[in-house]
Every structure is written in C-alpha cells, then in structure tokens.
Amino acid sequence: QVQLVESGGGLVQPGGSLRLSCAASGSIFRINTMGWFRQSPGKQREMVARISSGGSTYYADSVKGRFTISRDNAKNTVYLQMNSLKPEDTAVYYCQTNADGRWNWGQGTQVTVSS
C-alpha cells in the first residue's frame, strides 16, 4: 500500500508563492507518473500539472508560466512550485501518483490566495 503525504499549503497574498510537496511511502517498486490536481468548492477536480518518470511535464493552460512541477526520484517526492498566485488558484490541491500500476491520492492540502 502506498501513502502520500502532502505539505506546503497555506494562505498567501495575490502575487505570492508557495511550494507544495508530496512524499510517497510504503511498498513501492517504481513510481511512474506523478501529478497535482485541485478542486474548488462547487467545481470538478482538475489536473494542474503532471510529470513522467522521465521528466516530461504537462501543465493546464491556467497555470502555464506560473507553476513548475518537479520530482526527486530518490525521495519518491513530487513538488509544485507556484508563483504569481491568483485568487482563482484557491483550492484544495491533491497529489496523485501511479505506483506499480496503481493510482493513489493524497489527502489534499488547502491553498488560499487572498489579500
């Protein structure tokens, strides 16, 4: 079983930055895709960014140029650097990984962008 623990959320002013982390632990042989999703009240969960085991990245149009996803394979950890944050980025952010062919979700971390 794989456990995902997210950290780094919080309250930030518009234009500010936050860095989210998600560490995977448990019985893991190989982690393939790692990614971040977010969900705002009344909205569907949406993909924000993902990164393959080889380092290829994908970003939602709404975050391109502002967010950067990266991973440390030695630590089984994925990061999301969020810059130039906007109020519309406010959401619960969830980590998702594909480990040994199975998808796993983190518990979510709240990001609030407000003055």
Side-chain angles (χ1 to χ4, degrees), residues 74-90:
K75 296 181 179 180
N76 286 339
T77 299
V78 62
Y79 305 96
L80 186 67
Q81 177 67 43
M82 305 185 293
N83 298 328
S84 302
L85 282 161
K86 304 174 181 180
E88 49 264 44
D89 294 318
T90 296

Side-chain angles (χ1 to χ4, degrees), residues 6-11 18-21 82 109-112:
E6 297 140 338
S7 61
L11 172 64
L18 282 175
R19 188 192 193 205
L20 305 183
S21 300
M82 305 185 293
T109 184
Q110 177 70 46
V111 171
T112 302

Side-chain angles (χ1 to χ4, degrees), residues 56-108:
S56 297
T57 58
Y58 165 86
Y59 296 94
D61 288 342
S62 58
V63 306
K64 281 181 181 177
R66 301 187 298 122
F67 291 10
T68 302
I69 189 170
S70 61
R71 63 191 285 171
D72 184 333
N73 292 329
K75 296 181 179 180
N76 286 339
T77 299
V78 62
Y79 305 96
L80 186 67
Q81 177 67 43
M82 305 185 293
N83 298 328
S84 302
L85 282 161
K86 304 174 181 180
E88 49 264 44
D89 294 318
T90 296
V92 177
Y93 283 71
Y94 296 90
C95 171
Q96 184 198 56
T97 67
N98 183 289
D100 302 325
R102 296 182 180 180
W103 294 99
N104 306 278
W105 290 95
Q107 79 286 355

Side-chain angles (χ1 to χ4, degrees), residues 2-52:
V2 176
Q3 294 81 42
L4 301 178
V5 178
E6 297 140 338
S7 61
L11 172 64
V12 63
Q13 293 186 342
S17 299
L18 282 175
R19 188 192 193 205
L20 305 183
S21 300
C22 173
S25 62
S27 179
I28 302 171
F29 177 71
R30 176 185 172 88
I31 297 180
N32 300 305
T33 301
M34 306 181 84
W36 290 93
F37 286 69
R38 67 186 181 187
Q39 188 168 20
S40 305
K43 294 186 178 181
Q44 289 188 332
R45 190 172 296 189
E46 61 175 356
M47 178 181 287
V48 175
R50 67 171 181 252
I51 184 168
S52 71

